[in-house]
Amino acid sequence: TVNDPGPLPGVRRARIAPGTANFCERAAMTPTQLRHALDAGAHSVRAALAVQSQLFIGGDMGIGNTTAAAALACALLNESPVMLAGAGTGLDANGVARKIAVIERALVRHAAVADPYGQLGCLGGLEIAALCGAYVAAAQAGLPVLVDGFIASAAALAAVRINPGVREWLLFAHRSQERGHARLLQAMDAEPLLDLGLRLGEGSGAALAVPLLRLACSLHNGMA
């Protein structure tokens, strides 16, 4: 479990649970927790719209959440974890093998769940669900999204599978070095703006692509 740090300046607290459950034994989130996480993401979009934002970037911070993202991606794509599970923050070969074994156990445990909403609740993390909720809300509001790396892309694929209309509002910032990211991008027919060999999270990879988007808009709007 994760200790509650309490109020932090400039941070909106949306504490839903001290962590997800062991998805090898039960669903990662209860239906109520999943709904609250989706709503937390949608709230972020509403806050962005309130200040007339023209672009939404979602980021993630977590320990072990490449495992959750890979598990969710495997379920959504019907792929083997051998193909999608990578080193994350720096696992060696033995660590990756353990990660693959954990994901395989989770996929067997939740094999009967075939809908993307259910798969998100069984295998995703709270932050992945929040990103998914944000992407759906942004699309519904007509707010373009710049998707970050592997974890954000797993959330984006879940959002697209839940609501296919989300896809036309997604721009993709960069191609991560994480093993499964290229497969996620392929599944969404996405061509990222940058391919710099990044292994980043927290929205930082997407932030790097913002100046490129601004220049593209300036060129388009200023062309004779």
Side-chain angles (χ1 to χ4, degrees):
T1 60
V2 178
N3 292 328
D4 186 353
L8 297 170
V11 175
R12 185 180 71 87
R13 295 167 71 228
R15 184 172 171 82
I16 297 165
T20 49
N22 183 342
F23 67 4
C24 291
E25 299 176 357
R26 61 183 64 86
M29 289 170 271
T30 67
T32 299
Q33 288 170 344
L34 174 57
R35 186 173 66 254
H36 286 333
L38 292 165
D39 288 346
H43 182 279
S44 295
V45 169
R46 291 193 294 271
L49 291 169
V51 292
Q52 288 79 53
S53 297
Q54 296 176 303
L55 182 71
F56 181 86
I57 296 175
D60 62 90
M61 291 181 68
I63 299 299
N65 54 353
T66 59
T67 301
L72 178 60
C74 286
L76 293 169
L77 297 171
N78 194 27
E79 290 271 11
S80 165
V82 173
M83 302 300 296
L84 297 182
T89 52
L91 294 176
D92 60 15
N94 290 332
V96 173
R98 288 193 297 272
K99 183 177 186 176
I100 289 170
V102 166
I103 294 172
E104 287 173 341
R105 287 174 56 199
L107 293 173
V108 170
R109 174 67 178 80
H110 303 290
V113 181
D115 66 290
Y117 186 88
Q119 290 166 335
L120 176 62
C122 287
L123 299 167
L126 294 163
E127 77 290 1
I128 296 173
L131 285 167
C132 179
Y135 296 154
V136 172
Q140 290 172 336
L143 178 64
V145 170
L146 186 57
V147 180
D148 193 42
F150 178 62
I151 294 165
S153 294
L157 180 61
V160 170
R161 291 291 175 86
I162 291 170
N163 184 342
V166 170
R167 175 61 188 89
E168 64 183 295
W169 294 96
L170 302 181
L171 303 167
F172 294 83
H174 70 102
R175 190 187 309 276
S176 168
Q177 277 193 320
E178 187 66 14
R179 181 182 295 170
H181 195 212
R183 179 68 184 90
L184 284 170
L185 294 170
Q186 179 188 40
M188 290 181 281
D189 193 26
E191 189 61 42
L193 297 171
L194 302 173
D195 191 349
L196 301 175
L198 301 174
R199 189 178 288 279
L200 298 169
E202 306 166 22
S204 52
L208 287 174
V210 171
L212 184 60
L213 279 178
R214 286 176 171 156
L215 287 169
C217 290
S218 295
L219 178 64
H220 177 79
N221 292 331
M223 183 70 70

